[in-house]
Amino acid sequence: MLKNKIIYFIINSFFIIVALLCINYNTIFNNNFSFPSIILIVFLFLIVHLARFIRMYFILLENLINPNRFLQLYIKTTFVSTLVPFKAGELYKMYCYSIETDNTLTGIVTVMIEKFFDALVLCLFMAPYSFSQSVFNPLYVILLVFIVLVLILYFSFEGTYRYLNNFLIRRGGGHKTLALLKILEGTKKGYDSAKHTIKGRFVLLLSLSIIAWGVESLLVTLLNSNRLNFDLNVVFQYISDGFFGITNILFSQYASLCAIIFIPLLLIIYSKKYFIVLKNKKGANNGKANRSLRR
């Protein structure tokens, strides 16, 4: 148990330190926004992440994670996944949700569902523009391929599962067969969980995704021009550069915003946890001292 806690602490520390090293600190102090613009920027940022927080909470609703604990998870995983390039932070997000739910497959499926809805909304936003302007966008193709592959996997899984399950049972016993059946049953549980989540909450998750990306588009245009002058070119360039790990001023500003808002929250969260542990330890020591006196 102690070994698992130490590993969890090391992995958390590693990814948070890497995220801190990825911040372009120059952009934090070189933004010339008016005070009303700063208020609006922070407000839009909070709306974006409120929508994403609610979406993720509903994806993991059956796991009954305490809302305060879930908020801690969301802040640290979002902080890392936003700042670490090439979407490597998504692996950290999968790891954290796997540990929290005590199920590796649940952590992976949760992030895949989140990414599926992000990809779906981005394709809906980008498709009309790409076709009307006859612009080839590599990100649009990647997202479309991802959506198609997920849908093929989703709709073909049950038939494939029945075939493989019958095949392995007819094949007979053996360690390899039992191991494969166990893996197959694990994937079936992950599929059933994803199916239940998507079937019961598809409209809600899609709506929250549209709100999140719609508001983030407004936020990006405000960061770009210091006014709400919506520009699809700017928004798509920001999304594309962020996906491929290319640094641009808008993504740096958004990352700076994450740092300004999330770092203090992370400090509060971990300071609170430290004082709670310290208080419990002190209480335990006092209890031992009292028992010794009674003896």
Side-chain angles (χ1 to χ4, degrees):
M1 188 69 163
L2 179 61
K3 184 180 178 181
N4 290 338
K5 286 184 177 180
I6 292 171
I7 293 171
Y8 184 71
F9 174 78
I10 291 171
I11 291 175
N12 271 276
S13 300
F14 172 77
F15 275 100
I16 289 174
I17 290 169
V18 170
L20 290 171
L21 293 174
C22 290
I23 299 170
N24 183 356
Y25 290 93
N26 291 326
T27 59
I28 295 178
F29 304 104
N30 292 333
N31 291 324
N32 298 315
F33 294 105
S34 63
F35 182 73
S37 292
I38 292 172
I39 297 297
L40 183 56
I41 285 169
V42 172
F43 175 73
L44 292 175
F45 180 87
L46 293 176
I47 292 296
V48 168
H49 287 285
L50 177 62
R52 288 186 176 146
F53 171 81
I54 295 171
R55 180 182 66 177
M56 184 60 86
Y57 188 78
F58 273 102
I59 292 173
L60 285 165
L61 190 62
E62 278 75 20
N63 291 275
L64 302 175
I65 302 174
N66 180 278
N68 290 332
R69 173 61 183 161
F70 190 80
L71 181 61
Q72 296 174 19
L73 279 170
Y74 178 82
I75 290 171
K76 71 177 182 180
T77 56
T78 302
F79 176 72
V80 170
S81 63
T82 300
L83 293 168
V84 177
F86 306 111
K87 296 300 178 183
E90 301 302 334
L91 297 175
Y92 171 72
K93 187 183 288 188
M94 289 179 183
Y95 170 77
C96 287
Y97 286 119
S98 296
I99 295 296
E100 192 62 30
T101 59
D102 198 25
N103 189 315
T104 302
L105 198 59
T106 299
I108 295 171
V109 169
T110 295
V111 176
M112 290 297 290
I113 291 173
E114 182 192 38
K115 296 301 110 183
F116 173 80
F117 279 96
D118 281 338
L120 186 60
V121 170
L122 287 175
C123 277
L124 290 173
F125 281 179
M126 296 170 74
Y129 177 79
S130 298
F131 286 118
S132 64
Q133 300 293 322
S134 299
V135 176
F136 174 76
N137 191 317
L139 178 59
Y140 174 72
V141 175
I142 291 170
L143 293 175
L144 192 59
V145 169
F146 171 72
I147 291 170
V148 171
L149 288 176
V150 169
L151 290 175
I152 290 172
L153 179 64
Y154 179 78
F155 288 111
S156 65
F157 181 86
E158 289 186 339
T160 304
Y161 165 79
R162 285 194 296 269
Y163 170 78
L164 290 175
N165 190 59
N166 291 333
F167 172 78
L168 290 172
I169 290 172
R170 288 197 305 269
R171 182 181 175 183
H175 293 297
K176 289 184 179 180
T177 301
L178 290 174
L180 289 171
L181 281 169
K182 189 175 180 180
I183 293 170
L184 192 61
E185 286 305 310
T187 56
K188 180 66 164 60
K189 287 180 181 178
Y191 169 80
D192 289 338
S193 175
K195 183 178 180 181
H196 177 71
T197 300
I198 294 172
K199 186 177 179 181
R201 291 156 235 169
F202 183 87
V203 175
L204 175 63
L205 297 177
L206 182 62
S207 300
L208 289 168
S209 301
I210 291 171
I211 291 169
W213 279 108
V215 176
E216 186 166 340
S217 298
L218 293 175
L219 174 59
V220 169
T221 58
L222 183 58
L223 289 172
N224 180 61
S225 60
N226 206 5
R227 61 182 186 274
L228 291 176
N229 184 20
F230 191 74
D231 189 338
L232 280 174
N233 284 316
V234 170
V235 174
F236 292 160
Q237 191 62 47
Y238 157 80
I239 295 169
S240 181
D241 287 353
F243 183 87
F244 291 111
I246 301 170
T247 302
N248 65 28
I249 185 62
L250 284 177
F251 189 79
S252 294
Q253 287 176 332
Y254 185 82
S256 299
L257 193 57
C258 285
I260 292 168
I261 294 175
F262 284 156
I263 288 176
L265 290 174
L266 286 171
L267 290 173
I268 292 169
I269 287 168
Y270 284 103
S271 298
K272 185 179 176 182
K273 289 178 74 172
Y274 172 77
F275 285 117
I276 289 172
V277 170
L278 199 65
K279 184 178 178 181
N280 291 339
K281 189 176 180 180
K282 186 177 179 181
N285 290 334
N286 289 337
K288 288 180 181 179
N290 291 333
R291 285 194 296 271
S292 298
L293 288 173
R294 284 197 296 271
R295 289 174 185 171

